[in-house]
Amino acid sequence: MNRLTFFLFVLAGISSAPAQTLLLKNGESVPANGLVRNGDMIMVAVKTSMGSTGQVGYHVSDVAELNLPAPEVLKFAAEQVANGDFTHAFAQIDPVVAYQKTIRDIPGNWWAKSALVEVSALLGLNRTADATALVNEIAGYSKDPEILISAKLQ
């Protein structure tokens, strides 16, 4: 399978969601602006009634799912890989992979799909050892059958 076909396969499953939210196990949906991981807590930005901003934390164990739009850079990095611009693709996707890794244990993250794009960029840069390590990490962590098939194809 060539790289362009691979990316079309991966990107076929990507759809944008209109809002960034946390779905809690109690059924509550919470806006997830400014989402960051802090240990076993997911922190989100909130505005107070007085107009100031702050953060509210939720235990990761209370979060059922993240509803996050696909990172915009994911599409662009995949296009750059397909066009052979591996250096720029890697520069764009690496920070996304690093951030998504902090939330990869919560359903609804984009870590594995972002990491697959990074694998292709690494292979294009002849960084085979780094690519292999990342493929092994994806295979060991992801439960998504499409992601696992894609990882094996690398």
Side-chain angles (χ1 to χ4, degrees), residues 7-125:
F7 282 111
L8 293 175
F9 176 75
V10 169
L11 292 176
I14 296 175
S15 63
S16 295
Q20 188 166 294
T21 59
L22 298 177
L23 177 60
L24 302 177
K25 290 182 179 174
N26 67 6
E28 184 180 356
S29 183
V30 178
N33 301 319
L35 179 96
V36 293
R37 176 80 176 253
N38 186 4
D40 66 345
M41 301 290 287
I42 292 290
M43 308 299 291
V44 296
V46 294
K47 283 194 174 190
T48 67
S49 60
M50 302 299 282
S52 61
T53 58
Q55 286 188 320
V56 173
Y58 298 91
H59 286 277
V60 171
S61 61
D62 292 334
V63 178
E65 184 176 31
L66 301 171
N67 180 12
L68 305 176
E72 288 184 25
V73 74
L74 184 58
K75 177 182 174 185
F76 298 118
E79 288 173 358
Q80 287 176 319
V81 167
N83 291 328
D85 189 359
F86 305 115
T87 301
H88 287 109
F90 179 77
Q92 287 188 353
I93 200 66
D94 189 52
V96 173
V97 172
Y99 169 73
Q100 291 290 322
K101 188 173 183 173
T102 69
I103 57 173
R104 72 180 180 180
D105 59 327
I106 305 169
N109 70 77
W110 289 91
W111 175 75
K113 287 186 179 182
S114 299
L116 284 171
V117 173
E118 185 166 292
V119 165
S120 292
L122 288 166
L123 288 171
L125 293 169

